[in-house]
């Protein structure tokens, strides 16, 4: 049998295009690729070539391990003061009868409904409600922590935080410190979309800009918190806008080291103001994962979000640089189902997630939010997972 390392070396050595070959050689030597080389990968790299290289990087970093976590989502409201063109989820405050607004007690009741269940994380994100302010969210964070102190709270995008901080007349640093002290453990990756103003002004003109988004994550990292980053791709952006976005993230990561995971989010076109834009093909999706893995050399993890992508494409992504497929979320999350995601009521339990990962010969490992390994499921039989309430 061919040694996999020799295999990739042969592939690169036989690459006909000299520019691609030079990039491949750099990657094999763990050298950083440049902005122009990133764009070139998108333009010239074939799916199989990019996939082989990204899979090699993924296996160098994580072997066959594929991480997932057990979490649940809370969406406090879908009322939003902003008007992103791709959003199928939000309603304006003027039409509040069409939306929902959860009270602190209602959100605490959701947390309590998971009592005794082995979830490790709650993911809280929603629209930007004009009346849900800093004091409201500080109280929410404190009451969740008082009820279940060990539950990791990953919550709020810079879009929500920027609005809260500004209304409370707090600097980014002051606001982040207050939220952290109240119980906020880490930040999810949302709200990033495409950083470059040429695209950002077309698709989400009125919310926090790239500088503000990055400053909020930097402030969190400086407090020792970790965070994720996303990129909304496959709409009106060009390849270089994607690389520009990843370049800004790579630079901040060099400075702070606070990012855990990069999550490319595929644009879905149902029921929004960009429905005229065609969605990307599966080939484009897999290329996006592969180039992310190759460009973001300082990001430990690349995640595919299965509710958005569908289960089979999530399995496929595990051969294109992805080493994490998020969590056993239940069907409470509406942001994707409303935009036309593959999964209308996304829900998968541990047995189903483990099966999904094992079917493509990877090693399923449950993780905490910060990638502490909780359990390796590779040797655990499906029947044992299904019959043990602590495992399923
Ligand atoms: O920022 C909204 C996206 C994001 C659409 O950090 C859409 O672990 C596609 O960031 N088509 C929020 N995407 C969700 C998010 C996230 C999800 C899962 C895990 C993590 C994490 C973060 O949802 C928004 C926006 O980019 N989104 N509408 C749409 N039509
Ligand atoms: Fe509001 Fe977020 Fe929708 Fe934009 S994507 S309109 S910020 S809920």
């Amino acid at each position: 049998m061919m040694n996999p390392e020799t295999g990739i070396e042969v592939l690169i050595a036989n690459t006909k295009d000299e520019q691609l070959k030079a990039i491949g050689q750099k990657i094999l030597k763990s050298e950083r690729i440049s902005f122009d080389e990133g764009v070139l990968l998108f333009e010239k790299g074939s799916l199989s070539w990019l996939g082989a290289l990204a899979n090699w990087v993924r296996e160098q970093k994580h072997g066959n391990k594929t991480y997932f976590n057990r979490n649940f989502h809370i969406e406090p409201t879908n009322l939003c003061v902003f008007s992103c063109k791709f959003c199928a989820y939000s309603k304006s405050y003027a039409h509040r009868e069409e939306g929902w607004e959860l009270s602190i007690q209602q959100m605490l009741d959701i947390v309590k409904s998971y009592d005794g269940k082995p979830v490790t994380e709650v993911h809280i994100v929603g629209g930007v409600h004009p009346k849900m302010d800093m004091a409201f969210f500080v109280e929410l964070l404190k009451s969740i922590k008082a009820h279940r102190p060990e539950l990791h709270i990953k919550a709020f995008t810079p879009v929500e935080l920027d609005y809260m901080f500004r209304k409370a007349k707090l600097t980014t640093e002051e606001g982040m410190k207050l939220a952290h002290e109240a119980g906020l453990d880490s930040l999810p990756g949302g709200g990033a979309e495409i950083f470059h103003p040429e695209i950002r002004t077309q698709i989400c003109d009125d919310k926090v800009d790239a500088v503000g988004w990055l400053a909020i994550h930097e402030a969190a990292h400086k407090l020792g918190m970790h965070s994720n980053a996303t990129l909304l791709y496959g709409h009106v952006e060009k390849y270089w806008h994607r690389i520009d976005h990843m370049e800004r993230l790579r630079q901040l990561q060099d400075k702070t080291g606070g990012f855990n995971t990069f999550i490319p989010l595929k644009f879905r076109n149902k029921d929004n103001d960009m429905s005229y834009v065609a969605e990307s093909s599966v080939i484009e999706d897999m290329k996006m994962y592969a180039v992310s893995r190759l460009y973001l050399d300082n990001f430990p993890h690349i995640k595919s979000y299965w509710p958005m992508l569908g289960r089979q494409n999530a399995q496929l992504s595990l051969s294109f640089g992805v080493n994490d497929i998020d969590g056993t979320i239940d069907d409470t999350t509406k942001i994707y189902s409303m935009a036309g995601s593959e999964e209308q009521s996304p829900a998968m339990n541990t047995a189903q997630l483990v099966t999904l990962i094992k079917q493509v010969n990877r090693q399923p490992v449950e993780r905490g939010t910060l990638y502490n390994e909780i359990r390796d499921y590779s040797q655990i039989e499906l029947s044992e997972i299904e019959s043990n309430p602590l495992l399923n």
Side-chain angles (χ1 to χ4, degrees), residues 13 21 23 44 59 103 115 197 205 232 313 317 363 368 375:
K21 187 176 181 171
I23 300 175
K44 286 185 150 185
E59 290 183 358
S103 65
D115 283 357
D205 195 22
L232 182 70
N313 288 340
S317 72
Q363 180 187 350
R375 191 173 282 107

Side-chain angles (χ1 to χ4, degrees), residues 85-89 266-279 308 334-344:
K85 300 255 189 326
F86 52 81
C87 184
Y89 161 89
K266 176 190 175 84
F267 164 71
R268 307 307 305 240
N269 67 5
K270 193 177 142 223
D271 289 339
N272 57 37
D273 291 345
M274 291 170 70
S275 293
Y276 61 92
V277 178
E279 291 182 1
M308 207 60 180
K334 299 183 187 65
I335 193 157
Y336 306 102
S337 46
M338 291 167 86
S341 61
E342 292 302 311
E343 305 274 341
Q344 284 311 299

Side-chain angles (χ1 to χ4, degrees), residues 142-382:
K142 284 186 175 164
S143 47
I144 295 175
K145 281 289 173 191
H147 179 70
R148 195 165 171 175
E150 80 292 356
L151 187 69
H152 184 108
I153 306 181
K154 180 180 82 179
F156 312 131
T157 68
V159 181
E160 295 160 281
L161 292 167
D162 173 67
Y163 188 82
M164 269 182 238
F165 297 168
R166 281 192 291 117
K167 271 197 103 174
K169 298 199 170 20
L170 296 168
T171 64
T172 300
E173 287 69 26
E174 289 164 346
M176 193 54 69
K177 191 159 178 283
L178 197 62
H180 186 44
E181 284 167 359
L184 182 63
D185 293 303
S186 67
L187 304 186
E193 324 311 357
I194 290 281
F195 286 146
H196 198 282
E198 204 171 281
I199 300 299
R200 202 168 183 86
T201 50
Q202 288 180 55
I203 65 170
C204 54
D205 195 22
D206 50 359
K207 70 185 186 186
V208 69
D209 64 7
V211 173
W213 192 99
L214 291 161
I216 287 184
H217 279 257
E218 182 170 357
H221 297 170
K222 281 192 179 142
L223 292 170
M225 298 162 73
H226 283 82
S227 69
N228 295 336
T230 57
L231 179 160
L232 182 70
Y233 72 92
H235 43 90
V236 295
E237 88 289 2
K238 301 264 189 301
Y239 288 143
W240 72 266
H241 295 115
R242 298 185 195 178
I243 296 293
D244 172 79
H245 189 98
M246 290 194 265
E247 177 57 30
R248 295 180 201 224
L249 292 171
R250 197 167 75 170
Q251 284 182 16
L252 180 55
Q253 180 74 334
D254 277 343
K255 204 165 152 190
T256 65
F259 287 116
N260 278 334
T261 314
F262 180 66
I263 314 157
L265 293 173
K266 176 190 175 84
F267 164 71
R268 307 307 305 240
N269 67 5
K270 193 177 142 223
D271 289 339
N272 57 37
D273 291 345
M274 291 170 70
S275 293
Y276 61 92
V277 178
E279 291 182 1
S280 58
S281 67
V282 178
I283 291 179
E284 272 299 308
D285 297 336
M286 296 305 136
K287 278 187 164 183
M288 181 66 222
Y289 288 114
V291 175
S292 316
R293 182 60 289 169
L294 299 175
Y295 199 79
L296 292 172
D297 55 356
N298 55 3
F299 270 61
H301 307 283
I302 305 289
K303 175 153 95 178
S304 65
Y305 191 55
W306 65 262
M308 207 60 180
L309 206 58
R311 295 168 205 220
Q312 290 186 337
N313 288 340
Q315 284 180 318
L316 191 61
S317 72
L318 299 181
S319 295
F320 288 85
V322 168
N323 67 293
D324 187 314
I325 52 170
D326 204 72
T328 53
I329 70 164
D330 59 27
D331 63 1
T332 51
T333 177
K334 299 183 187 65
I335 193 157
Y336 306 102
S337 46
M338 291 167 86
S341 61
E342 292 302 311
E343 305 274 341
Q344 284 311 299
S345 297
M348 253 205 280
N349 61 26
T350 309
Q352 289 168 311
L353 257 179
V354 165
T355 304
L356 193 95
I357 296 168
K358 282 187 178 174
Q359 274 174 345
V360 288
N361 298 321
R362 300 286 181 180
Q363 180 187 350
V365 177
E366 183 189 346
R367 61 162 177 87
T369 311
L370 305 178
Y371 290 83
N372 48 307
E373 294 191 3
I374 295 176
R375 191 173 282 107
D376 183 342
Y377 281 80
S378 49
Q379 303 305 324
I380 305 179
E381 292 297 326
L382 203 59

Side-chain angles (χ1 to χ4, degrees), residues 106-120:
Q106 284 170 318
M107 291 190 262
L108 200 54
D109 287 343
I110 297 176
V111 174
K112 286 181 179 168
S113 71
Y114 288 88
D115 283 357
K117 295 188 184 162
V119 290
T120 58

